[in-house]
């Protein structure tokens, strides 16, 4: 309000009214009220002087002495006018002169006075507009007594989330806030009366305002949901003014992820999970095999993600010392969230509240990691980081660039929820030795003891022993299948003493099954030697010379 302009308007107003009154008394010449012209001018001058001191020269001595008397007379006159039925209240209205009393401290009449107009105490929850998350796994692992100790001794557990509340004013005696659940949409009012147990940081102190401070109080919360400040009161019961149009503070579940082996993993490749949590699998053969089995193979490993979607992940793969980041583009999550409860029993308001807050709910999804495994060796997968839709980032295990991936080697030890190792074993192979393939075929068998009656057919084996070689013998009339086991690859032979075609089918080593050479070795039975003597009689005419002579 412009005090100077208001005083000037009052001065002009009352000067005009007084002048009109004295002029009317002279002009109307009412008996006993008639005045001469020079008396009229004198009264008008006196009224202007008095109004000047009353309304414009507020610091003059005359004003301080006359103003209480003038105000008292004016108040009495206005009260008399206001007592007139119907017309009085409409003429007077709510005049500032209708006061019960006027008091002045005579000891402090003169001098300059400073008036401090204190603003309302202000409170604002989460002034930076941040979003928060709660690690529910760590919260469940926290001892039950720590929650109560935090309220008694003024400290919070490591798993509790602290929401800042900025308070500018006197010391708060109680803080009330509203909590809304994402699951049910219900709103609850909660009050903290022991504000001294809260963590507090002093931002600024105002010595000229007495005990006024600007401080930040930290509200510990352990439930996901929306939080809004409801009211803050001081010791006198005066309520703080809250920030207008302040959005609610959103607290969601911190994103979590872990690697899990699939229970229905494809078993055609001898997929086995060991007692240490690591897995092994046989080398896949070629792309044709992969294209044929990919329709039935849903992958071996999956990432189970929980948090506020959409979620971004960084998965690193280490294959035989080569580090690369796996691209998850195009992989659609398989929702693992339970079906919602039937909502026919809820009213429209409850359904609307659930739909409003449902987007902040924690959802659980699974992402499958597929690989070809065409190269034998060690495959190591690691979850490095995860980030949710509210930009909450979690570095898995906090290892960074060391520990699990130190240079080009993976740390040994058992598998964890963020690291998994797959050993891809090379498939074995079996074939006939080159010396046998270069020999003159077919090989001949003889019943003569002095001759060859059996052969030791040499093999070449690769893989990890022991090996089991399966083969067949086809003699034309029947086919016989046999197998033989070898503990070492050197000096491995198949004893052949029956005629027929020897064909290798396949080979199995300690971990996997493999293919065998398609070359065949044929053994034939050599016939026994035989001599036949035949004679033809002749006459003397057919034979010249003497009879009996050779």
């Amino acid at each position: 309000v412009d005090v100077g302009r208001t005083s000037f308007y009052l001065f002009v107003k009352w000067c005009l009214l007084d002048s009109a009154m004295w002029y009317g008394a002279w002009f109307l010449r009412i008996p006993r009220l008639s005045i001469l012209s020079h008396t009229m001018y004198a009264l008008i001058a006196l009224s202007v002087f008095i109004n000047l001191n009353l309304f414009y020269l507020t610091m003059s001595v005359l004003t301080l002495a006359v103003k209480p008397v003038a105000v008292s007379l004016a108040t009495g006159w206005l009260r008399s006018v206001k007592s007139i039925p119907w017309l009085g209240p409409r003429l007077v209205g709510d005049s500032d002169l209708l006061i019960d009393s006027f008091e002045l401290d005579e000891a402090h009449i003169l001098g300059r006075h400073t008036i401090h107009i204190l603003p309302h105490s202000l409170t604002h929850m989460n002034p930076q507009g941040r979003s928060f998350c709660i690690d529910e796994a760590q919260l469940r692992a926290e001892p039950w007594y720590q929650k109560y100790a935090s309220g008694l001794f003024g400290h919070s557990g490591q798993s509790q989330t602290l929401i800042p509340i900025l308070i500018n004013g006197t010391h708060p005696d109680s803080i009330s806030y509203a909590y809304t659940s994402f699951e049910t949409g219900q709103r609850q009012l909660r009050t903290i009366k022991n504000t001294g147990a809260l963590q507090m940081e002093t931002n600024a102190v105002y010595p000229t305002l007495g005990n006024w401070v600007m401080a930040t109080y930290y509200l510990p919360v352990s439930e996901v949901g929306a939080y809004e400040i409801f009211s803050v009161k001081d010791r006198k019961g005066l309520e703080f003014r809250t920030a207008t149009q302040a959005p609610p503070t959103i607290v969601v579940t911190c994103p979590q992820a872990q690697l899990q082996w699939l229970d229905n993993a494809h078993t055609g490749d001898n997929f086995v999970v060991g007692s240490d949590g690591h897995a092994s699998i046989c080398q896949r053969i070629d792309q044709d095999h992969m294209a044929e089995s990919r329709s039935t193979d849903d992958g071996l490993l999956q990432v189970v993600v929980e948090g506020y979607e959409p979620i971004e992940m960084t998965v690193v793969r280490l294959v035989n010392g080569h580090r690369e980041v796996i691209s998850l583009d195009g992989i659609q999550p398989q929702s693992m969230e339970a079906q919602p409860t039937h909502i026919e029993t809820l009213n429209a308001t409850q359904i609307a509240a659930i739909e409003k807050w449902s987007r902040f709910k924690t959802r659980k999804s699974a992402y499958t990691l597929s690989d070809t495994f065409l190269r034998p060796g060690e495959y190591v997968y690691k979850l490095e980081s995860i980030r949710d839709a509210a930009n909450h980032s979690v570095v898995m295990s906090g290892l960074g660039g060391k520990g699990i991936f130190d240079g080009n080697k993976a740390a040994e030890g058992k598998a964890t929820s963020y690291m998994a190792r797959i050993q891809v074993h090379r498939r074995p192979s079996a074939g006939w030795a080159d010396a046998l393939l270069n020999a003159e075929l077919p090989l001949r068998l003889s019943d003569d003891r002095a001759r060859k009656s059996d052969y030791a057919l040499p093999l070449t084996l690769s893989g990890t022993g022991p090996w089991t070689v399966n083969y067949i013998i086809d003699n034309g009339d029947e086919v016989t299948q046999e197998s033989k086991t070898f503990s070492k690859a050197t000096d491995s032979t198949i004893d052949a003493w029956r005629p027929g075609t020897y064909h290798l089918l396949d080979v199995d080593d300690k971990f996997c099954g493999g293919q065998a050479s398609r070359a065949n070795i044929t053994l034939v039975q050599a016939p026994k030697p035989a001599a036949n003597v035949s004679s033809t009689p002749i006459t003397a005419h057919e034979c010249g010379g003497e009879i009996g002579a050779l």
Side-chain angles (χ1 to χ4, degrees), residues 56-369:
Y56 201 71
L57 301 177
T58 57
M59 298 300 296
S60 65
V61 177
L62 180 62
T63 300
L64 297 176
V66 176
K67 187 172 183 178
V69 179
V71 170
S72 178
L73 294 175
T75 301
W77 182 75
L78 288 177
R79 289 184 185 276
S80 300
V81 175
K82 190 175 182 179
S83 62
I84 301 174
W86 187 82
L87 182 62
R90 286 169 173 76
L91 291 176
V92 177
D94 296 330
S95 175
D96 293 338
L97 295 176
L98 296 175
I99 58 177
D100 295 331
S101 62
F102 185 88
E103 296 181 359
L104 284 178
D105 189 357
E106 297 180 356
H108 297 84
I109 294 178
L110 301 178
R112 176 172 295 181
H113 302 273
T114 302
I115 300 176
H116 293 281
I117 301 177
L118 299 179
H120 288 289
S121 298
L122 179 66
T123 178
H124 191 184
M125 174 179 281
N126 190 20
Q128 287 79 22
R130 295 173 52 201
S131 61
F132 301 88
C133 71
I134 293 178
D135 190 348
E136 293 188 340
Q138 188 176 2
L139 184 64
R140 289 190 295 267
E142 186 176 271
W144 62 270
Y145 56 83
Q146 191 166 357
K147 177 180 179 181
Y148 299 97
S150 62
L152 294 175
F153 302 107
H155 63 84
S156 61
Q158 297 180 354
S159 58
Q160 286 185 316
T161 298
L162 300 178
I163 300 178
I165 301 178
L166 180 64
I167 294 180
N168 187 13
T170 57
H171 180 78
D173 186 62
S174 65
I175 299 176
S176 299
Y177 63 95
Y179 164 75
T180 304
S181 172
F182 295 151
E183 297 292 337
T184 62
Q186 294 181 353
R187 182 182 173 95
Q188 301 176 4
L189 187 62
R190 303 175 179 179
T191 302
I192 297 178
K193 296 183 178 180
N194 185 18
T195 57
L198 300 179
Q199 293 186 19
M200 189 265 287
E201 293 180 357
T202 302
N203 304 106
V205 180
Y206 306 101
T208 58
L209 301 181
N211 59 347
W212 269 54
V213 295
M214 179 186 291
T216 302
Y217 290 80
Y218 292 94
L219 175 66
V221 296
S222 58
E223 296 178 271
V224 296
Y227 292 82
E228 298 176 84
I229 199 72
F230 184 77
S231 67
V232 178
K233 296 182 180 179
D234 60 10
R235 293 185 179 92
K236 298 180 180 180
L238 300 177
E239 190 168 347
F240 287 48
R241 187 179 63 181
T242 58
T244 58
Q245 298 181 351
T249 300
I250 302 299
V251 180
V252 299
T253 302
C254 293
Q256 300 177 8
Q258 60 179 350
L259 295 172
Q260 290 183 355
W261 301 113
L262 287 172
D263 295 335
N264 58 344
H266 185 58
T267 58
D269 300 318
N270 292 348
F271 175 71
V272 178
V273 179
S275 58
D276 58 354
H278 300 299
S280 63
I281 192 176
C282 295
Q283 174 192 5
R284 289 172 175 169
I285 301 174
D286 51 30
Q287 292 292 345
D288 295 336
H289 168 76
M290 284 299 300
E292 184 177 324
S293 63
R294 190 167 288 182
S295 59
T296 58
D297 187 1
D298 296 328
L300 307 177
L301 192 64
Q302 67 178 0
V303 185
V304 179
V305 184
E306 186 175 359
Y308 173 34
E309 294 183 344
I311 295 178
E312 299 179 1
M313 292 177 294
T314 301
V315 182
V316 176
R317 180 179 68 173
L318 186 68
V319 181
N320 296 331
H322 177 68
R323 187 179 188 271
E324 60 183 359
V325 177
I326 297 178
S327 175
L328 298 179
D329 296 339
I331 298 180
Q332 297 297 325
Q334 303 171 355
S335 179
M336 299 177 62
E337 185 180 5
Q339 294 296 328
T341 308
H342 199 54
I343 60 176
E344 290 184 356
T345 58
L346 304 179
N347 55 38
T349 303
Q350 292 173 329
I351 295 175
I354 293 176
E355 292 177 351
K356 176 183 178 181
W357 300 107
S358 61
R359 65 189 184 97
F360 298 105
K361 290 174 55 177
T362 300
R363 288 177 171 82
K364 195 173 185 179
S365 303
Y367 295 80
T368 301
L369 301 179

Side-chain angles (χ1 to χ4, degrees), residues 318-319 371 373-375 377-381 420-422 424:
L318 186 68
V319 181
D371 209 328
F373 300 113
L374 295 177
R375 291 177 292 175
E378 186 182 59
Y379 291 65
V380 181
Y381 297 85
R421 180 185 286 107
I422 303 178
V424 179

